[in-house]
Amino acid sequence: MDPVQWLAVTVFTVTILIVISNRLDSTLAALAGVAVMIWLGVMTETDAFGYVDWNVMAILVGIWLIAGYFGRTGVPSWLSVQALRLSGGHPGLLVMILTFLAGIVSMFVDNVVTILMMAPVALPLARAMGIPATPVILMIGFGANFMGTALLIGDLPPQMLHSVAGAEFFDFVWQHGRPSSFPVLMITFLITLAAMWAYGFRGRRRVADIAALGIDARIPNPLFATVVVVWFLGTVVAMSLRELIGVKLGFIALTGAVSLVLVLALLGERVKAASFEEALQELDWRAIFFYIALFALVGGLEKSHVLDLLAQALAPVFRDSYALGASLLYWVTVPIVGLVEHDAYILTFLYAIRDLGQAGIEPWPLYWMLLWSGTLGSNLTVAGAPALYVALTLAEKEEGRKVSLREFLAWSVPFTVVCAGVCYALGMLIWVLPYAG
């Protein structure tokens, strides 16, 4: 490598280590890393700005705005109470249904937002049924972090795949004549929930009289809830038809968000919705700036051709044995993203796989194996997924004690091992082996 490439790798590595160590605010560290790359001549400020995918940023802002209003509708609370009734008073089954609900919601809503919506409702249910708060909230956190990659709009990794490889909405359901992310992850999710029920929730005593618990949830303003849900679904449908509409996904998401705010403002007192200013203030701007810096940091590696070198180093492995290369990519990723913030890792290797594709190696099975392992492996510790830190904090606050690392790993390790193993088997059978032959 030449001196500029060494500078790029050094600044990138030091920045990510600072982010992992949590000694400084992660957003501040990432922005500082971008500034250092620019001042050292790895790239110009214009390059840094150009490497940011502003379409992805627009998707995040638009969907988060709509999700903020969705959280105020009371629909998550109503769904949780329906889960209680569906469980028939079986505590273990209730936890599995709540976890499944969190996974479904996280396909459309950021995983942290999903946890913040679901936990306040799940905790009273857990108290009433005598279930400890920690496993309940952790399972909701695992579920929310699990399904974000099932569809295009739920989390950053699928949006990065859209940015790097051009994956569209329906590519996450069916691509190249075979099932892709949604069906693979849904099957994996259901098998994992069954395993976790057998592992930690099977023997819980049934509550015979659910009505005696006195738990109920009504949607406070049906008109407000109807408008928000209809707009949310309409935006998702429009995004799924992006290729027919012919505009960027970010523009569709922002159009949905802005038009929703406008309609709510026109309805006024009949919906009593938060103002546009209040909605903007509730956005996680730190996360948005972190993602902006992340694109620019990886752009520095791209500008200095470090990712070309990485692709050249990996190419012989995949040429010699495509199945072995995909397996190594998958199982090396799982533990790494359990300790490293997974978005940076995934984005870096998405670019490397793209370069492998340009060298004549089929990229799509590798894209999917990277995305799945990078998402599922991040459930191992709170370092891999900030959403789990939020879940852990809520559990500790509810129980009034610190949850030990041993207790956390007692739930996270079985969950991660089962889901990673099942998804690997499905990914190899459906995607890797047909191309390896």
Side-chain angles (χ1 to χ4, degrees):
M1 293 196 299
D2 62 36
V4 173
Q5 290 170 334
W6 278 113
L7 283 174
V9 170
T10 301
V11 174
F12 181 85
T13 303
V14 170
T15 301
I16 296 302
L17 287 175
I18 294 173
V19 170
I20 296 168
S21 68
N22 207 25
R23 294 293 182 90
L24 288 177
D25 180 270
S26 58
T27 303
L28 176 61
L31 290 170
V34 174
V36 170
M37 277 193 178
I38 293 170
W39 284 112
L40 291 178
V42 173
M43 59 181 170
T44 66
E45 69 278 15
T46 304
D47 292 329
F49 189 88
Y51 278 117
V52 177
D53 192 322
W54 298 104
N55 177 51
V56 169
M57 297 304 112
I59 296 171
L60 288 174
V61 171
I63 293 298
W64 284 0
L65 274 171
I66 301 175
Y69 285 104
F70 178 74
R72 297 169 181 264
T73 61
V75 172
S77 301
W78 181 83
L79 288 173
S80 297
V81 172
Q82 305 317 306
L84 173 62
R85 293 170 180 162
L86 183 62
S87 72
H90 293 90
L93 182 57
L94 172 63
V95 176
M96 296 305 108
I97 295 173
L98 290 174
T99 305
F100 181 78
L101 273 178
I104 296 301
V105 172
S106 73
M107 292 193 298
F108 308 96
V109 179
D110 175 73
N111 49 21
V112 173
V113 176
T114 300
I115 293 169
L116 293 176
M117 287 193 299
M118 297 286 295
V121 188
L123 287 173
L125 297 179
R127 277 189 231 111
M129 300 190 77
I131 314 172
T134 296
V136 175
I137 300 303
L138 288 182
M139 285 298 295
I140 288 174
F142 296 149
N145 198 48
F146 189 110
M147 290 297 287
T149 303
L151 292 176
L152 176 57
I153 61 178
D155 202 0
L156 185 64
Q159 293 164 25
M160 292 190 298
L161 182 61
H162 171 72
S163 172
V164 174
E168 297 292 350
F169 190 93
F170 284 109
D171 288 332
F172 285 79
V173 179
W174 194 267
Q175 187 196 46
H176 297 171
R178 65 195 72 229
S180 54
S181 202
F182 174 76
V184 167
L185 288 183
M186 182 59 74
I187 294 170
T188 302
F189 196 28
L190 293 173
I191 294 173
T192 303
L193 290 180
M196 292 304 293
W197 174 81
Y199 170 76
F201 298 96
R202 180 173 51 185
R204 306 278 179 180
R205 181 175 298 177
R206 177 178 178 268
V207 176
D209 189 1
I210 295 177
L213 299 176
I215 296 175
D216 195 12
R218 291 181 174 84
I219 296 174
N221 190 321
L223 176 60
F224 173 59
T226 301
V227 171
V228 173
V229 170
V230 167
W231 236 262
F232 204 164
L233 293 176
T235 302
V236 171
V237 170
M239 294 178 76
S240 71
L241 300 174
R242 187 206 72 80
E243 291 179 279
L244 294 176
I245 297 172
V247 297
K248 295 285 189 181
L249 283 174
F251 181 73
I252 297 173
L254 284 179
T255 299
V258 172
S259 59
L260 172 62
V261 174
L262 180 61
V263 169
L264 293 175
L266 292 174
L267 289 172
E269 287 299 312
R270 282 182 286 175
V271 294
K272 296 180 180 178
S275 68
F276 186 47
E277 181 180 0
E278 291 171 330
L280 285 176
Q281 289 173 349
E282 291 181 358
L283 287 179
D284 190 349
W285 289 104
R286 286 179 62 257
I288 292 169
F289 277 105
F290 176 76
Y291 295 145
I292 289 172
L294 185 60
F295 272 101
L297 278 170
V298 177
L301 299 181
E302 178 76 2
K303 175 70 175 180
S304 58
H305 301 288
V306 170
L307 296 179
D308 292 338
L309 296 179
L310 178 60
Q312 291 170 15
L314 293 174
V317 177
F318 293 99
R319 286 199 179 97
D320 291 343
S321 174
Y322 194 82
L324 176 61
S327 298
L328 289 174
L329 175 69
Y330 189 95
W331 288 112
V332 168
T333 296
V334 169
I336 288 178
V337 297
L339 302 173
V340 175
E341 209 290 321
H342 66 295
D343 293 324
Y345 179 93
I346 291 173
L347 183 59
T348 302
F349 275 86
L350 282 176
Y351 278 111
I353 293 170
R354 183 200 62 185
D355 292 342
L356 284 172
Q358 293 172 352
I361 295 171
E362 174 56 46
W364 277 104
L366 306 181
Y367 282 139
W368 292 124
M369 296 297 275
L370 172 68
L371 235 64
W372 296 333
S373 58
T375 300
L376 304 184
S378 67
N379 273 319
L380 192 59
T381 73
V382 296
L388 296 184
Y389 177 79
V390 173
L392 184 62
T393 301
L394 291 172
E396 290 178 338
K397 184 178 179 181
E398 171 68 14
E399 296 197 352
R401 65 181 179 87
K402 294 293 289 183
V403 175
S404 68
L405 177 61
R406 181 177 181 179
E407 183 179 356
F408 179 89
L409 293 177
W411 295 102
S412 69
V413 170
F415 188 95
T416 303
V417 168
V418 172
C419 67
V422 172
C423 189
Y424 170 75
L426 292 173
M428 291 294 290
L429 287 172
I430 297 170
W431 278 94
V432 175
L433 293 180
Y435 286 95

